Amino acid sequence: MKKILLLFTDKYFIDEELNRTKLSEDLRKYDEELLDKLFQSDFIKQHFSKEVAGQKLFQIDQLEEAVLYNDYW
């Protein structure tokens, strides 16, 4: 995920620290550029999408929770 976010240069990082507020805001706004990049990741698709009635749903709430509350960052 970090590799994906680094594609946006300093949009999601302040120095080396993840700007969780900005990332959360863009996830909630369904930022098209961000979601496009995230959908290209097999890891993201595998862990944060769910198929319902033949349609893939992106689980933004779960991704946001993982990013905001994970000590990895």
Side-chain angles (χ1 to χ4, degrees):
M1 175 125 175
K2 187 172 183 177
K3 287 181 182 181
I4 294 169
L5 297 177
L6 286 170
L7 294 173
F8 296 94
T9 58
D10 62 353
K11 183 175 183 178
Y12 296 112
F13 288 92
I14 300 171
D15 296 320
E16 295 290 318
E17 190 72 25
L18 176 66
N19 185 345
R20 295 175 190 208
T21 303
K22 178 61 176 160
L23 179 56
S24 176
E25 178 183 296
D26 283 356
L27 285 171
R28 288 174 183 250
K29 289 188 328 188
Y30 294 91
D31 181 273
E32 189 172 340
E33 187 177 8
L34 173 61
L35 294 179
D36 180 57
K37 295 293 184 203
L38 290 175
F39 288 150
Q40 292 176 28
S41 166
D42 289 334
F43 177 84
I44 297 295
K45 285 190 285 190
Q46 180 181 3
H47 291 93
F48 299 101
S49 68
K50 183 176 184 175
E51 189 165 327
V52 176
Q55 300 296 317
K56 287 272 188 178
L57 301 176
F58 188 48
Q59 298 174 304
I60 288 179
D61 291 342
Q62 286 81 359
L63 177 59
E64 181 182 24
E65 185 175 313
V67 169
L68 293 179
Y69 302 109
N70 189 335
D71 288 337
Y72 169 78
W73 296 99

